[in-house]
Amino acid sequence: MCSLSRASRGPLAGLSEASSLIMEADLERGGNLNTSKKDILVIEDNLDIRILITLILEGEGFRVTSASDGLDGLNQIKISPPDIVLLDLMMPGISGIEVVRKIRSSPDPAIESIPILLLTAKSAELARPDDSGVNLAMAAGANSFLIKPFISGQLVNAITSIL
C-alpha cells in the first residue's frame, strides 16, 4: 500500500485516517468497473461521508452529485432524475424514510422508479421488530440497504446489483 502523508493526500486530506486508507487501497487496486457513466445522487448530511462516497464512485466511473439533506435531494431529483439514489436514513429535516415515500409517490414515472440504496449506521435496528427505520424505509420502497461503515467494494457491488 502506498503511504501518502497527510499533506500530500490532495482531495483525501480532509478525510479521517481510516477513510483515507480505504481510498488509498482502492486507488491502488485500480477500481473502475464498467459503469457506463451512470448518474448517482448521494443524499447524506455528513460532509466527510459525502466526499468519501463521491471519490469512490467517481473513481469507478460514475457521475456523482450530492445533497446535504432530503429537501435538497428531492429538488435535485425533480430537476434531473438520477439513475440511482444513495440515501442516508437519519438526516435532519426530512428523514430518509420520508424521502423514499416522496420518491415512490411521485406522479412522474421517471422519478417514482428510481432505484434507492439506503445507507445507515443503525445496524442495531435490523434486530428490532418492524418499527425500525430500515424496515420502514424498505417497506416504503427502498431497493436495498448498506450498513455504515462499509468498504468501497461493498458500496460499488450494492449499486451495480441494483442497476
Side-chain angles (χ1 to χ4, degrees), residues 11-31:
L12 303 179
L15 299 175
S16 72
E17 191 71 24
S19 297
S20 63
L21 289 174
I22 291 169
M23 281 301 301
E24 286 176 27
D26 275 356
L27 292 172
E28 284 184 355
R29 159 177 84 72

Side-chain angles (χ1 to χ4, degrees), residues 118-123 126 134 145-151 154:
L118 190 68
L119 305 175
T120 181
K122 299 292 183 180
S123 60
L126 298 177
V134 171
F145 66 91
L146 190 59
I147 298 171
K148 298 185 261 183
F150 47 79
I151 60 173
Q154 290 172 314

Side-chain angles (χ1 to χ4, degrees), residues 38-57:
K38 298 286 186 181
D39 293 312
I40 298 177
L41 173 60
V42 177
I43 306 174
E44 165 66 62
D45 62 316
N46 183 300
L47 177 60
D48 287 339
I49 295 173
R50 276 198 321 271
I51 291 169
L52 181 60
I53 290 172
T54 299
L55 289 171
I56 291 168
L57 297 179

Side-chain angles (χ1 to χ4, degrees), residues 53-136:
I53 290 172
T54 299
L55 289 171
I56 291 168
L57 297 179
E58 285 179 345
E60 293 291 339
F62 292 102
R63 287 186 301 241
V64 182
T65 55
S66 65
S68 60
D69 61 53
L71 186 57
D72 183 30
L74 289 168
N75 287 333
Q76 288 190 42
I77 290 168
K78 287 177 188 171
I79 294 168
S80 180
D83 294 305
I84 187 170
V85 170
L86 276 56
L87 177 63
D88 186 19
L89 177 64
M90 297 195 54
M91 295 182 292
I94 299 176
S95 73
I97 296 167
E98 193 57 33
V99 172
V100 172
R101 288 180 181 141
K102 288 183 181 294
I103 291 170
R104 291 297 179 244
S105 66
S106 173
D108 183 344
I111 293 174
E112 183 270 335
S113 63
I114 296 171
I116 301 169
L117 176 62
L118 190 68
L119 305 175
T120 181
K122 299 292 183 180
S123 60
E125 286 194 359
L126 298 177
R128 289 191 357 211
D130 292 335
D131 66 337
S132 79
V134 171
N135 289 330
L136 290 172

